[in-house]
Amino acid sequence: MEAAQAIDRGATAAGFAPERASGYAPKPLRRASRFIAVTANPHASRVACRVLRDGGSAVDAAVAAQLVLGVVEPQSSGLGGGGFLLHWDARRRRVDAWDGRETAPAASRADDLRWIDAERRVPPQPSARDSGRSVGVPGLVHLLDAAHRAHGRRAWPTLFEPAIALAADGFAISPRLARSIAASRDALARDALARAAFLQPDGSPRPAGQRLVQPALAHTLRTLAEGGAPVFYRGPVADAIVDAVADTRAGTSTPGRMTPADLAGYRSVRRDALCRPYRRWQVCGMPPPSSGGLAVAQALGVLGTFDLAALAPAAPADDGGAPDPQGVHLVTEALRLAFADRNRYVADTDFVSLPGGDASALLDPDYLRRRATLVDPRRSLGTAAPGEFADASRGSDTALPLGGTTHLSIVDRDGNVAVLTSSIEAAFGSGRMTRAGFLLNNQLTDFAAEPLDERGRPVANRLQPGKRPRSSMSPTLVLEPGADGRPAGFAMATGSAGGAAIIGDALRSLVAVLDWGLDAQQAASLVSFGAFNGPATFVGGEHPRIDLRDGGAADALVAALRARGHDVRLNAQIGGLAVVVRRCDAWRRCRLEGGADPRREGMALGE
């Protein structure tokens, strides 16, 4: 824990931080009958709908939208990052999980995030997050290419045209992007290319409304449109990545260890989705190295023992209504139990196996029922202990990722669904911009800085060469079961941005729809609440339902949680939910609902 805190303190000192909260701007529910797209930015939502209207698949629309997001919200995602994608193939009734998570360079050493080297036992400079040591081999481009080859209909080059136009011709900087630039101004100023892109000649941040033109990024996008993923991982673009990672910034920054061979050898991975029953549905998430699918499934397994339907929010208007304190208590307690197991057992399973060899032990119904008995309806656990397994002696890692992330949920006219969460980790990632025009991630700081715990036990999420850092990204699909037990139809898609809070956001939206009967926008708009594994319980102070006067003393939800022993924190939350729900009446006439998180600038659009 101390090592993780040291990295976070170093990141703050260096000027980087999680993305800034953007307040709360109410959004309308969007209904559609043919197709729908919910993304984190209006530019991307419009492009996705254009692709869908022209007959493109859900993956075609996801590729085009993600490329646009990398242009218009570079603080959140881009070519220099990674991501996870779940895809529902309606005809084949199949879910595929695509892992485009970054990997550690082959030359990585276990202590790279806490020491410069064995002789100089001082932290990487100016911080682990701001150094070249933080940069993982980017996986997003390979992921998009692989998923498109499997599920795309439109020609690959055409999907790049909107992003190329926005990069070449420019777009008006949004208020959210302007706030992010201002918050990270000092850190961006240390990199010459980032400084030129996001700051004005006098060093001040570019303001909202100013046109941002990115010619180098436009050139790279044209190159990728013509040559596909291979030209990203070999040749001039790869050389630009390696050079940016190796840059010492005039001797003030520790370089990373990435080589051209690391890039040439990168592959995204097609994995089996993690699907488990909840009530009458099948809920599918990402397997490790994402911890999101496991944590959400564990929390749902605990919550399935409680009557949550009786704890729905009161007066659920467009803002989701007033949460029931007992409902919030149970959801946050389930999160504590899930995070306890996540912190000890979950990592890249290509390197460290789960207890019992797969997810079955952690998701065993009897195990989760026993975990549920630890929940006191009247008192918070505070900090939960992980479950004990005979073959799993290892240390816990409590480091939490930051929030430079985006999410989109898309349904095409044939009922295929793509849910994609992508990230560069902290706002603006490592702050290192390549001469190819995109920022590089700082995802390797999602590894535990300390490879051993205080008792000398190896930490599952320790840094190892070629390993993928544990993630909280949680793209999630909900499916209707068929008579044969296999998934038969799409019911819901969700996911979010926001670092480790993604897990709680995804869980809250699932409970909101499946247990509380809220529509897609109400689920996205509901008061934000969650917990990691500690006494703090987060309640989003940005929501109009929360009374912040006197530290929340007069707020009914806050007071009720404090009476149950919760250490309530009222910080404004980042958010980023993109929720799609399919609703059918008694005659099987179905419509799609889309909801975009009012805490960000996203938009739901459909036809």
Side-chain angles (χ1 to χ4, degrees), residues 428-453:
F428 300 100
S430 64
R432 290 170 178 257
M433 179 169 271
T434 69
R435 58 180 177 271
F438 55 86
L439 289 157
L440 293 174
N441 68 85
N442 64 310
Q443 298 285 12
L444 297 190
T445 54
D446 280 355
F447 283 118
E450 301 278 354
L452 304 175
D453 74 355

Side-chain angles (χ1 to χ4, degrees), residues 71-374:
V71 175
V72 300
E73 47 166 45
Q75 77 277 27
S76 299
S77 69
L79 303 179
F84 296 113
L85 182 143
L86 281 182
H87 179 262
W88 166 246
D89 186 317
R91 183 180 64 82
R92 297 165 63 211
R93 296 165 60 191
R94 175 189 171 105
V95 180
D96 286 314
W98 297 88
D99 172 3
R101 184 65 161 159
E102 299 86 346
T103 57
S108 297
R109 303 171 187 174
D111 290 315
D112 270 354
L113 298 175
R114 59 173 180 163
W115 297 330
I116 291 179
D117 53 42
E119 292 73 36
R120 292 173 292 174
R121 295 195 171 195
V122 297
Q125 299 301 308
S127 71
R129 291 186 185 278
D130 191 50
S131 74
R133 296 282 178 82
S134 71
V135 185
V137 182
L140 183 64
V141 172
H142 198 283
L143 162 67
L144 296 178
D145 186 284
H148 178 262
R149 289 176 187 274
H151 305 295
R153 296 177 193 153
R154 299 284 304 281
W156 173 259
T158 66
L159 304 178
F160 281 73
E161 292 170 359
I164 291 170
L166 283 165
D169 300 335
F171 65 95
I173 293 173
S174 71
R176 180 178 180 82
L177 176 54
R179 283 190 290 269
S180 290
I181 294 171
S184 293
R185 177 182 61 181
D186 293 344
L188 292 169
R190 280 193 292 275
D191 182 276
L193 294 174
R195 181 171 62 247
F198 300 114
L199 304 183
Q200 302 189 92
D202 65 357
S204 61
R206 293 186 184 274
Q210 188 177 98
R211 202 159 193 82
L212 179 60
V213 180
Q214 302 170 81
L217 178 56
H219 176 76
T220 297
L221 290 168
R222 292 188 190 99
T223 300
L224 295 179
E226 295 169 3
V231 300
F232 184 86
Y233 292 96
R234 297 176 185 269
V237 177
D239 292 341
I241 294 171
V242 171
D243 290 346
V245 173
D247 188 3
T248 65
R249 295 179 176 175
T252 62
S253 181
T254 304
R257 304 188 190 277
M258 194 182 301
T259 67
D262 292 317
L263 284 153
Y266 182 86
R267 298 292 184 274
S268 60
V269 182
R270 192 174 187 166
R271 302 188 186 274
D272 292 331
L274 198 63
C275 298
R276 289 295 186 275
Y278 179 67
R279 313 293 189 196
R280 66 180 182 85
W281 296 276
Q282 283 280 320
V283 178
C284 296
M286 282 299 306
S290 171
S291 64
L294 260 169
V296 168
Q298 280 198 311
L300 289 175
V302 169
L303 292 171
T305 67
F306 297 94
D307 180 13
L308 288 184
L311 304 173
D318 291 343
D319 65 0
D324 184 288
Q326 188 65 6
V328 174
H329 172 72
L330 294 177
V331 170
T332 54
E333 295 302 279
L335 283 168
R336 287 181 168 87
L337 291 166
F339 268 91
D341 280 354
R342 166 198 183 270
N343 295 346
R344 176 161 292 183
Y345 298 120
V346 182
D348 183 349
T349 47
D350 292 339
F351 287 76
V352 181
S353 63
L354 295 169
D358 59 25
S360 299
L362 287 169
L363 296 178
D364 177 73
D366 289 336
Y367 171 69
L368 294 177
R369 278 192 288 268
R370 292 195 299 273
R371 295 290 278 170
T373 64
L374 301 175

Side-chain angles (χ1 to χ4, degrees), residues 402-482:
L402 297 182
T405 305
T406 194
H407 178 82
L408 56 84
S409 299
I410 295 174
V411 182
D412 68 27
R413 67 180 67 202
D414 295 319
N416 305 306
V417 187
V419 278
L420 170 65
T421 313
S422 63
S423 179
I424 55 173
E425 225 276 50
F428 300 100
S430 64
R432 290 170 178 257
M433 179 169 271
T434 69
R435 58 180 177 271
F438 55 86
L439 289 157
L440 293 174
N441 68 85
N442 64 310
Q443 298 285 12
L444 297 190
T445 54
D446 280 355
F447 283 118
E450 301 278 354
L452 304 175
D453 74 355
E454 64 280 358
R455 293 168 55 186
R457 297 175 298 182
V459 173
N461 190 39
R462 63 191 181 276
L463 174 60
Q464 294 174 270
K467 191 176 183 180
R468 298 171 190 235
R470 183 179 64 206
S471 170
S472 294
M473 291 187 281
S474 307
T476 306
L477 287 169
V478 180
L479 305 169
E480 298 273 3

